[in-house]
Amino acid sequence: MLSALMCLGAGSPASAQQQVYKCWSRGSVVYTERPCSKRVLNADEAPVPVKPNPKEVDIGRIEQNRALARSMRPMAGESTEQFEKRRRRARLLATDRDECARIDTRMPVEEASMKNPDKAEVLKAEAALAASRKRFGQLGC
């Protein structure tokens, strides 16, 4: 009977062992019963950075350079002013180029409406023309 009690007594410390966590606190090692951080990281869901394919990058760069080179050559029948405008706008983003084209068509209409005999319409046209010219300058059209 005594040997049975000894076996039970020897088995209980082994079952009473707790997990010990090794943590860093203020530059020194600390052993605790609880995990070091309450934040749990799941590496399975972390995004994996994808490197671009160098061939695809080169093809895009080549196409961009070709378009820029085409814009740097004067077209047949193109005046110097038209060529300079096209060359300037070739460096803009596509959305900015589109906005410049809209401003180009809008400004003559606003200038024509300034010849209206109604003073209120003239004031509106002046304000609109000033806004168009300001945006034209901001975009670098």
Side-chain angles (χ1 to χ4, degrees):
M1 182 105 136
L2 184 59
S3 66
L5 284 175
M6 286 180 69
C7 287
L8 284 175
S12 64
S15 64
Q17 276 186 343
Q18 295 181 357
Q19 246 182 338
V20 177
Y21 296 93
K22 181 179 179 180
C23 305
W24 286 91
S25 175
R26 298 184 184 139
S28 62
V29 178
V30 178
Y31 296 96
T32 64
E33 297 172 350
R34 287 185 232 118
C36 304
S37 174
K38 292 182 181 178
R39 183 175 59 173
V40 176
L41 299 176
N42 187 353
D44 295 336
E45 298 174 7
V48 178
V50 178
K51 292 183 180 179
N53 184 351
K55 290 181 181 179
E56 290 176 7
V57 172
D58 288 343
I59 291 171
R61 191 174 297 132
I62 289 169
E63 289 174 5
Q64 184 180 16
N65 288 343
R66 283 182 185 159
L68 192 59
R70 279 193 304 270
S71 69
M72 296 299 155
R73 291 186 302 231
M75 298 172 89
E78 186 177 46
S79 70
T80 307
E81 182 181 310
Q82 291 170 333
F83 171 66
E84 287 300 319
K85 180 168 61 169
R86 190 169 49 85
R87 191 175 64 105
R88 238 186 359 260
R89 291 185 182 178
R91 291 185 174 93
L92 296 176
L93 296 172
T95 55
D96 292 345
R97 274 195 306 266
D98 293 342
E99 189 173 354
C100 286
R102 285 192 300 273
I103 291 172
D104 282 342
T105 58
R106 188 173 58 221
M107 283 174 60
V109 173
E110 292 167 349
E111 288 171 351
S113 63
M114 288 182 60
K115 297 175 184 172
N116 194 334
D118 186 15
K119 288 285 187 188
E121 290 296 322
V122 171
L123 291 174
K124 256 200 271 188
E126 285 177 353
L129 185 60
S132 294
R133 285 181 178 160
K134 180 179 177 183
R135 185 64 182 152
F136 191 85
Q138 287 173 342
L139 291 172
C141 299

